[in-house]
């Protein structure tokens, strides 16, 4: 499983476990769904559920023959590409207005 991000250098987590900075790779033993999270300063954190379906040579009965009688080792590599979005910066004045609004709400709530 190879995870690539645009821009590169995001911390990649698969099912909550850190696997490194993108481009990052990890081995997998079973097919199915994985929760991939990418974290990078200045960009929105991205979490996505990715599914890896088993290829035809891993279907029941066929897999017995491919696992035991294949003359070559079979390696399944899956590539996942993610685009990260820059964080939306809130203008200072808008942030101050929101702070004033919250302050006034708490004063009237006493």
């Amino acid at each position: 499983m190879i995870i690539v991000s645009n821009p590169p250098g995001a911390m990649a987590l698969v099912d909550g476990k850190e696997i490194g900075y993108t481009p990052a790779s990890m081995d997998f033993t079973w097919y199915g769904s994985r929760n991939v999270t990418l974290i990078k300063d200045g960009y929105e954190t991205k979490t996505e559920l990715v599914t890896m379906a088993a290829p035809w040579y891993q279907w029941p009965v066929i897999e017995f023959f491919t696992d035991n009688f294949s003359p070559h080792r079979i390696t399944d590599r899956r590539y996942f590409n993610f685009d990260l979005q820059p964080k939306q910066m809130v203008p200072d004045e808008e942030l101050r207005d929101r702070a004033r609004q919250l302050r006034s709400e708490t004063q009237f709530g006493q």
Side-chain angles (χ1 to χ4, degrees):
M1 172 176 208
I2 299 168
I3 299 172
V4 179
S5 69
N6 182 23
M11 171 57 74
L13 293 91
V14 176
D15 293 333
K17 181 182 172 190
E18 290 183 9
I19 64 166
Y21 292 95
T22 58
S25 64
M26 67 172 273
D27 294 333
F28 61 93
T29 306
W30 68 91
Y31 295 96
S33 298
R34 305 285 195 292
N35 206 2
V36 176
T37 303
L38 297 172
I39 303 168
K40 184 170 175 73
D41 286 341
Y43 291 86
E44 299 288 336
T45 298
K46 184 171 188 107
T47 301
E48 194 169 315
L49 186 66
V50 297
T51 302
M52 295 186 296
W56 66 269
Y57 55 82
Q58 287 295 310
W59 293 348
V61 180
I62 297 172
E63 71 159 325
F64 174 78
F65 294 100
T66 56
D67 288 348
N68 296 303
F69 301 111
S70 177
H72 305 287
R73 181 178 176 175
I74 299 172
T75 303
D76 187 6
R77 290 190 177 93
R78 303 288 175 107
Y79 289 85
F80 296 97
N81 296 301
F82 299 96
D83 289 325
L84 299 178
Q85 301 300 319
K87 277 190 180 175
Q88 298 297 324
M89 302 303 290
V90 178
D92 289 344
E93 192 55 40
E94 186 178 326
L95 192 60
R96 286 188 196 102
D97 289 342
R98 179 75 177 133
R100 285 186 204 104
Q101 179 185 359
L102 290 172
R103 186 181 307 129
S104 67
E105 287 176 10
T106 58
Q107 289 171 351
F108 290 122
Q110 293 178 342

